[in-house]
Amino acid sequence: MPLFPRLRSLFRNLFHKRRIEVDLDEEMSSYVAMLVEEKIRAGMAPEAARRSARLEAGGIQQLKEEVREARMGAILESVWADLRYSVRMLAKSPGFTAVAILTLAVGIGANTAIFSVMNAVLLRSLPYPNADRLAMIWTAWGKESRAPGSGPEFVYLRERSRLFQDIAGIWATSGALTGGGEPEQVKVAHVSSNFLSLLSPHPELGRFFLSQEQGAGAPRVVILTDGLWRRRFGANPQLVGRSILLNGQPFTVVGIMPPGFKLIFPADSHVPPDIQVFTPFPYDLAKSPNSLGFIRMIGVLGQGVTPEQAQAEVASIAGQLRSEFTDFSEQKMDLSVALLHGDTVKNVRPALLALFAGVGLVLLVACVNVANLLLARANERQKEITLRRALGAAPGRIIRQLLTESIVLGFLGGAAALVVGWWALKWLLALRPEAIERMGSIQFDGAVFVFDLLLSLFTGVLFGLVPAFGAAKADLAGALKEGGRTAAAGKQRFRNALIVCEVALGFVLLIGAGLMIRTFAGLLRVDPGFDSAHVLTFQLALPGKRYPQDQSRVNFLRQLEKDIAALPGVQSVSATSHLPFDDDLPNWYSYYWPEGAPKQDQNTVMADQCAILPGFFKSMGATLITGRDFNEFDDAAHGHVVIVDDALARRTWPNESALGKKLIVEIMLNGEFSQSSAEVVGVVKHVQIHSLTNQVREQIYVPYPLAPRNQIAYTIRTPENPQSLIGPLRAEVAKLDKDLAVSKVFPMDDYVAIARTETRFTTMLSSVLAAIALLLACIGIYGVTSYAVLGRTSEIGVRMALGAQKLDILKLIIRQSMFPVILGALLGSALSLALTPLLSGLLFGVRPSDPLTFAFVAVFLLLAGLVACYLPARWAMRIEPMDALRFE
């Protein structure tokens, strides 16, 4: 049939059904009447003719159904009829429908919430032009594989690379904005002139930097973020072209970045996402020392260039650098390439994948529960289904109807899941660790809605398959018997099998949660190497214009230290260039080696370095193991000294005392970095600076006068509430310099809490998922046991009439009901042993196969299952024999 007549027939069949049904009735009546007339003419009596005609025509309704199925659009009409029937049947059982929808809403909602996080963090491209071609370029020096590059490396790489479309660099620091309001400390990035144009198509106002604005003697210009521009400068568009005071010097504002712009870099790049001020490098990068690595390099791969090709090119360029410069050859310098997106999410990916697997298991448990509900409901509807089969309905038609009902239930659960998922997402956002927070906005978008829709369809089919096929294939003769014991027994086996799966999945989730809880408990017991209680911290950035000389900075900090120490309630006070667990500032780590070490052993091992004032270890509660603290005479005019941690002492001088030994370390005087010999005067217990669980590098502490920094953090120990000192210390800073901004005023406990955030996030979510799975499993066990007791009411009555005691009935029900629970626990134990090694990267202080966790979870789950079995078993004990037989 041509297309147009087919469409016209489809339209008529769908929208003029009443007229078509009337015509069909008339045709059927005419056909039967014609047969009757023929048989009467053949000599049959009218009544016999009518009976014979009906037999010859077959069942009128069956014939009409065959005609309907042959029409154009019959499938659509049939599906629509199934949908209406499904809605009516669900509405007739509001209790069942509500429980099923709520169960699915929890399972699908949890998956939707976690998927929204995964979509934003792992799946969605970074919000930059050419995001799929952006790549980090890391430097390897000695044993340090992810170090920043030096100025000459950066310049040389830009000149010789042919596979990168462009290469840019950034170095993050801080500064102070003054004039036009309260002094404010801001995060500042020195960048190459092309850096911002790599990450944004255009500024919101103004322009990007020009190449001539980078380097020594170039004009001082800045670009501000939209947030700073609106908050501090009232979103004044006339600010572009005007000057602002940064670190006491005038800078011309040439542009404003678009709203929402942020830097999304790997955590170990030490490039914070909320940089507020950008300014070009104010010096000639090509003339900086080869060994001074501080630039984080990022490039855009050319069209069609693969990361492997780029890696081969930068490795070749590194070889050229090693052949041309002794510094690079001695340190075995190398270069590596990593795509920005993958490099940024590599640390958080394992936790998110583990959580996504967890919510997937919760969804399976929810589907098993709903399947059990449908099996119970199918038994109640067995006579209805059997009658439809007896009247000629094909098994496929029954399966389609029941699956349609399941899919409708799945979509209703999916709709409710959007509400559950929304609230779950808000909770997730309140808990998310910094590693996820760096990745940008997490929200319900089109991809999340499509995921919810597909997941609803999948779950509807998944939990509806077993009940649908079971109902369609039931034995008609057995099902028509009074009570339908044969059919019920088959369904009971199905339900027990589902309970085994449900308990096994719940066991896996409980093991994961138990391991994460033990990990978090281990983190709480970790000694970070200092006592964070009752310590207040704050940070200052000393403007270079007002404090141009090293000694002027030292004098200011020492005077402020004395003034704060005189405040009531202050036990001790000191300062450091780097606080533990504060990665907003560029980390300071460099090579060290014992004096007199052979050439091949130099420039091979790096240590974190901190510039500190005397008393730092006392104010932080760190342990000085041996030797002495710094004093006011430890400066450039006297002998150079350092304090090292015990890890460095053991590595460098095993089985020897480190005191009096000489190290070659990096110092900075008058803005110039150099390597100098320094005597070890003390050994301190290692302080966890980057992570509570990993000792990233050894540590070297140098006196602040040997390495003055613009950025400094004070540590104040007090027996009182640290917050009570905030007002007085701000006043003391203002007395010395009213234009100096005080920032990041936090108790040290806050930094320690941040270090635990990622593990706490994973632990809380895994615990919630395990609790949901346990609750659903208990509900499922209770439901199956209750159904079994109800189906065996007459049997229990007979047993009791024949002399069985109530305790015997209790033991019988519990023994038979606990069998699938025990089997599920054994299966779950085997699954857990196979899967928990995947969590190794998330665990600390506990093995994936920890026997204590497995034993506790097994006992806990079996006890929960026992309680779920005991409640209906207790009801079975109360059955009276006469009532049971009367019920039968």
Side-chain angles (χ1 to χ4, degrees), residues 101-141:
I101 289 176
L102 180 60
T103 302
L104 291 173
V106 172
I108 299 175
N111 277 267
T112 302
I114 294 295
F115 175 79
S116 64
V117 178
M118 290 190 62
N119 181 51
V121 176
L122 301 183
L123 304 180
R124 188 189 303 159
S125 296
L126 296 176
Y128 302 135
N130 306 309
D132 59 331
R133 294 190 284 129
L134 288 173
M136 294 292 298
I137 305 174
W138 296 93
T139 297
W141 289 58

Side-chain angles (χ1 to χ4, degrees), residues 430-758:
L431 295 176
R432 62 178 171 173
E434 185 179 359
I436 293 179
E437 190 172 2
R438 295 169 69 96
M439 294 302 299
S441 60
I442 299 172
Q443 56 189 354
F444 270 27
D445 55 14
V448 175
F449 281 100
V450 170
F451 175 81
D452 181 84
L453 178 67
L454 295 177
L455 195 59
S456 301
L457 176 62
F458 171 76
T459 53
V461 174
L462 182 64
F463 66 70
L465 281 175
V466 171
F469 279 95
K473 294 182 178 181
D475 176 47
L476 290 179
L480 289 172
K481 293 177 182 178
E482 188 66 31
R485 290 184 181 88
T486 303
K491 285 188 175 59
Q492 186 63 30
R493 288 193 295 271
F494 265 132
R495 291 166 67 85
N496 284 338
L498 291 176
I499 285 300
V500 170
C501 297
E502 197 167 17
V503 172
L505 295 174
F507 192 97
V508 174
L509 284 171
L510 284 169
I511 287 293
L515 292 174
M516 289 308 305
I517 289 172
R518 294 203 63 189
T519 292
F520 189 66
L523 281 183
L524 294 178
R525 295 191 298 268
V526 164
D527 179 9
F530 60 90
D531 180 10
S532 63
H534 299 287
V535 176
L536 182 69
T537 70
F538 70 93
Q539 295 184 16
L540 300 174
L542 302 179
K545 184 177 181 180
R546 294 204 301 277
Y547 304 93
Q549 303 299 322
D550 291 350
Q551 193 58 44
S552 62
R553 297 175 198 167
V554 172
N555 293 340
F556 175 87
L557 296 179
R558 284 177 173 172
Q559 184 59 52
L560 181 58
E561 181 183 14
K562 292 178 182 178
D563 294 344
I564 294 176
L567 292 174
V570 173
Q571 288 181 329
S572 59
V573 58
S574 187
T576 178
S577 59
H578 292 82
L579 281 173
F581 311 126
D582 182 8
D583 288 332
D584 274 354
L585 291 175
N587 196 30
W588 179 21
Y589 48 89
S590 61
Y591 290 101
Y592 73 92
W593 60 88
E595 189 176 61
K599 198 70 174 178
Q600 65 269 18
D601 293 336
Q602 300 176 13
N603 293 311
T604 58
V605 182
M606 284 186 169
D608 287 313
Q609 292 193 205
C610 294
I612 62 173
L613 290 179
F616 172 71
F617 303 120
K618 181 180 179 181
S619 64
M620 279 294 291
T623 303
L624 187 63
I625 298 173
T626 186
R628 67 171 177 87
D629 196 353
F630 296 137
N631 57 49
E632 60 182 8
F633 299 107
D634 293 323
D635 54 26
H638 299 80
H640 295 178
V641 296
V642 294
I643 295 174
V644 301
D645 72 347
D646 54 345
L648 187 146
R650 285 193 302 270
R651 174 198 282 268
T652 310
W653 302 285
N655 303 318
E656 296 182 45
S657 172
L659 296 182
K661 299 292 196 302
K662 295 292 186 70
L663 276 182
I664 305 301
V665 298
E666 186 178 78
I667 63 172
M668 182 181 70
L669 296 175
N670 300 317
E672 297 292 334
F673 287 94
S674 62
Q675 290 175 329
S676 171
S677 175
E679 180 184 350
V680 177
V681 297
V683 177
V684 68
K685 185 178 178 181
H686 179 81
V687 173
Q688 297 295 111
I689 291 181
H690 305 287
S691 165
L692 280 169
T693 58
N694 297 322
Q695 180 180 300
V696 179
R697 280 178 289 268
E698 291 83 14
Q699 293 148 7
I700 298 174
Y701 298 89
V702 299
Y704 182 84
L706 289 182
R709 320 288 286 190
N710 289 344
Q711 181 78 24
I712 197 74
Y714 274 84
T715 55
I716 307 167
R717 179 166 293 277
T718 174
E720 304 171 358
N721 182 358
Q723 303 282 354
S724 63
L725 291 175
I726 294 178
L729 71 85
R730 286 185 181 275
E732 294 300 329
V733 174
K735 287 179 185 177
L736 294 179
D737 190 336
K738 62 181 180 61
D739 293 327
L740 203 58
V742 177
S743 67
K744 300 188 74 171
V745 186
F746 299 130
M748 196 63 219
D749 281 340
D750 288 3
Y751 287 101
V752 177
I754 290 173
R756 298 187 179 118
T757 301
E758 189 169 331

